[in-house]
Amino acid sequence: MMCGIAGVYREKGLAKHNKTLFINEALQLSSRGDSAYGLFSEVGIIKNLGSFSKLNKNIIYNIDTKFLLFHSRAPTGDGVNSIANTHPFVSKDFI
């Protein structure tokens, strides 16, 4: 099984319907890996173990941002219970 990756961008900032589309896509991609997920936006990063379906979606609706990125993962060599192995990763110059 492979991971699921999705993103949405709107120069003027994401409207509610953009976020709804993003959530629906992320929910579908969660089946590609429900061990952990991560979200990235201008506001910051959210990482959790388990399925994205368990996240309170109001968190996404309340983020004021131009973009959202999503990643779900299947179990890896580090095991299911490792939040350190959950994307997105942040380094000095890239995500």
Side-chain angles (χ1 to χ4, degrees), residues 6-8 18-26 39 68-70:
V8 63
N18 301 120
K19 294 175 183 179
T20 299
L21 290 171
F22 174 81
I23 289 168
N24 290 338
E25 184 66 23
L39 300 170
L68 288 164
L69 298 174
F70 168 80

Side-chain angles (χ1 to χ4, degrees), residues 1-4 6-7 10-11 22 29 31 57 68 73 81 91 94:
M1 181 176 296
M2 297 186 64
C3 300
R10 183 172 180 251
E11 180 64 34
F22 174 81
L29 289 173
S31 66
K57 307 312 180 275
L68 288 164
R73 74 169 172 88
N81 295 321
S91 185
F94 65 93

Side-chain angles (χ1 to χ4, degrees), residues 30-70:
S30 291
S31 66
R32 297 187 63 109
D34 63 356
S35 295
Y37 65 90
L39 300 170
F40 177 76
S41 73
E42 295 165 298
V43 177
I45 295 175
I46 298 171
K47 294 181 177 188
N48 281 310
L49 297 175
S51 175
F52 174 75
S53 64
K54 296 178 183 174
L55 176 72
N56 179 343
K57 307 312 180 275
N58 287 325
I59 291 172
I60 293 173
Y61 287 117
N62 291 325
I63 295 174
D64 185 20
T65 186
K66 291 181 181 181
F67 69 91
L68 288 164
L69 298 174
F70 168 80

